Amino acid sequence: ERVIASRQGPHLRLAGGGAGIINFCANNYLGLSSHPEVIRAAVEALEKFGAGLSSVRFICGTQSIHKDLEEKIARFHQREDAILYASCFDANAGIFEALLTPEDAVLSDELNHASIIDGIRLCKANKYRYKHMDMQDLEAKLKEAQKHRLRLVATDGAFSMDGDIAPLREICQLAQKYDALVFIDECHATGFLGPNGRGTDELLGVMDKVTIVNSTLGKALGGAAGGYTTGPKPLIDLLRQRSRPYLFSNSLPPAVVGCASKALDLLMESNAIAQSMAAKTQRFRSKMTAAGFTISGKDHPICPVMLGDARLASVMAEDMLNRGIYVIGFSYPVVPKGKARIRVQISAVHSDEDIDRCVEAFTEVGRKHGAL
Ligand code: PLP
């Protein structure tokens, strides 16, 4: 782990190192982690509501700001209600066990995030794993799962290692045909995908067909911490009664609630920030492709520069840092063997110059190591 000695943002100072490192590896897609209004809202919430609740929600840990944030999240996603967790990892850990019984079935994309996999492990439903975004395989598994009482299809909306987007239209059609519910994890979509930044379901026109959305407050929505489930009110009521990470873990601290609440206000006022991020993503993807690199995914600010070889990815990432560009190489077992990559993440607060410097550094380093 590299130690950062400054705020999170496009330009960092690393502990013991130089300043002015350009950061391309945070999930700070909208640059709200250090937004002045977000910080001010956190300070105000801290002053007014204190450092923390020293309690779980249902004993004496619910303040007006928690209820207001839940209402705001539901309004943002155009759902009936929402429930807060300490993280999206907890939201994913809590939902499957609370909802599904041994009579039910859950169908999960093989590349779903670890927290979905763990959440599914905790439940006693029948488990089906379908090939990544493979609708033929999902249909076959849905047919097989007809014998169960209830079926739930679970998928990431956008996949964090590849920057690819789940085919939600097709998933929802299959769900309708085989009488299944759809759950999506929107951690890498909330706040910036779709015309109003509502997420993958908005992007693909299926907001009324996806039943359950889980997402994080720890990425685009201010980056502090926290997660949530939003969906039908009876489902949220059930989670308040049964979801173990909600029942047995401390309430979100007021400062964290203040950050997320302000981030949502900013995004509901205007989607200019999301549009600026999309333009920068487009700039990076097209310049890198023109330089001869293969970038996985499409139109997503997660831009995996595909290199294949694990050592190459690691050596190139190190050399990028020597040139002041902070990126991370990923290799097996985080991604499949032979598919090592450097993952670049674009933020609305990168300048065009930052993007161009990153492309230039990649071109130099790529030539030096024979990747181009
Ligand atoms: N789901 C996905 C797809 C993620 O990428 C992450 C975080 O890395 C999580 C869930 C967990 O979110 P949180 O950091 O809020 O626990």
Side-chain angles (χ1 to χ4, degrees):
E1 293 175 8
R2 288 207 171 81
V3 180
I4 299 171
S6 60
R7 285 180 179 176
Q8 182 61 281
H11 301 139
L12 297 177
R13 191 159 49 81
L14 295 180
I21 301 290
I22 311 180
N23 178 17
F24 284 95
C25 52
N27 304 301
N28 185 20
Y29 299 114
L30 299 176
L32 298 182
S33 300
S34 297
H35 191 287
E37 286 190 51
V38 172
I39 294 172
R40 200 172 323 119
V43 172
E44 280 167 14
L46 180 67
E47 291 277 1
K48 188 162 175 199
F49 291 96
L53 273 301
S54 310
S55 170
V56 297
R57 289 285 299 279
F58 80 96
I59 297 179
C60 68
T62 299
Q63 292 170 318
S64 52
I65 47 172
H66 294 91
K67 295 308 286 180
D68 292 347
L69 179 56
E70 286 173 339
E71 183 276 322
K72 208 177 276 185
I73 288 169
R75 191 151 37 90
F76 181 80
H77 285 281
Q78 298 174 24
R79 300 307 204 273
E80 286 174 16
D81 201 357
I83 175 173
L84 287 170
Y85 287 87
S87 67
C88 186
F89 203 107
D90 277 354
N92 287 343
I95 190 154
F96 300 101
E97 192 203 13
L99 192 62
L100 303 174
T101 72
E103 289 175 62
D104 304 320
V106 56
L107 301 98
S108 172
D109 186 294
E110 65 181 348
L111 291 192
N112 275 342
H113 188 259
S115 54
I116 300 178
I117 295 170
D118 284 8
I120 291 174
R121 276 186 190 148
L122 289 169
C123 84
K124 295 197 172 72
N126 299 277
K127 290 147 196 162
Y128 296 83
R129 206 164 69 131
Y130 63 92
K131 291 195 192 110
H132 181 49
M133 304 209 302
D134 182 331
M135 293 300 98
Q136 268 185 350
D137 196 34
L138 174 59
E139 181 157 23
K141 302 272 157 52
L142 276 165
K143 278 184 189 158
E144 229 182 300
Q146 286 305 294
K147 55 185 181 262
H148 306 299
R149 184 187 69 135
L150 188 150
R151 284 151 294 286
L152 178 68
V153 180
T155 180
D156 279 0
F159 289 84
S160 61
M161 283 299 139
D162 293 278
D164 51 357
I165 290 170
L168 284 187
R169 263 188 232 127
E170 293 77 2
I171 290 177
C172 289
Q173 274 162 9
L174 286 175
Q176 205 162 5
K177 185 166 169 194
Y178 294 98
D179 193 20
L181 297 170
V182 177
F183 159 97
I184 57 176
D185 175 324
E186 287 283 88
C187 284
H188 295 277
T190 300
F192 55 91
L193 284 191
N196 301 296
R198 280 3 181 211
T200 338
D201 55 348
E202 189 196 25
L203 179 73
L204 298 173
V206 290
M207 285 184 91
D208 56 340
K209 298 201 169 60
V210 170
T211 307
I212 308 164
V213 176
N214 274 11
S215 193
T216 185
L217 304 172
K219 300 194 195 299
L221 299 185
Y228 57 86
T229 297
T230 183
K233 186 164 181 348
L235 170 82
I236 303 300
D237 289 344
L238 181 81
L239 292 174
R240 285 193 208 282
Q241 297 295 329
R242 290 234 199 110
S243 183
R244 293 168 71 82
Y246 178 82
L247 289 169
F248 301 115
S249 189
N250 202 19
S251 304
L252 270 188
V256 168
V257 174
C259 287
S261 189
K262 178 52 77 177
L264 283 166
D265 288 345
L266 293 172
L267 298 183
M268 286 198 271
E269 271 164 28
S270 146
N271 69 349
I273 306 176
Q275 279 170 356
S276 144
M277 185 215 66
K280 279 155 196 163
T281 299
Q282 175 59 25
R283 185 180 184 96
F284 180 77
R285 282 181 170 270
S286 60
K287 288 199 166 199
M288 284 292 280
T289 308
F293 287 103
T294 302
I295 312 296
S296 166
K298 191 171 161 283
D299 298 338
H300 196 281
I302 292 173
C303 305
V305 182
M306 303 307 287
L307 297 167
D309 182 64
R311 213 184 105 73
L312 179 65
S314 143
V315 170
M316 274 183 63
E318 202 56 47
D319 232 0
M320 290 290 284
L321 190 60
N322 294 336
R323 286 167 169 74
I325 307 285
Y326 188 11
V327 286
I328 296 281
F330 290 89
S331 54
Y332 182 80
V334 181
V335 295
K337 271 197 181 127
K339 293 212 169 162
R341 66 202 65 183
I342 290 177
R343 186 176 69 170
V344 172
Q345 289 171 285
I346 305 295
S347 169
V349 283
H350 284 129
S351 64
D352 285 350
E353 197 199 339
D354 292 337
I355 306 272
D356 294 352
R357 277 189 56 194
C358 183
V359 176
E360 277 159 28
F362 260 113
T363 310
E364 272 174 43
V365 168
R367 283 203 188 114
K368 178 176 162 194
H369 295 284
L372 281 179

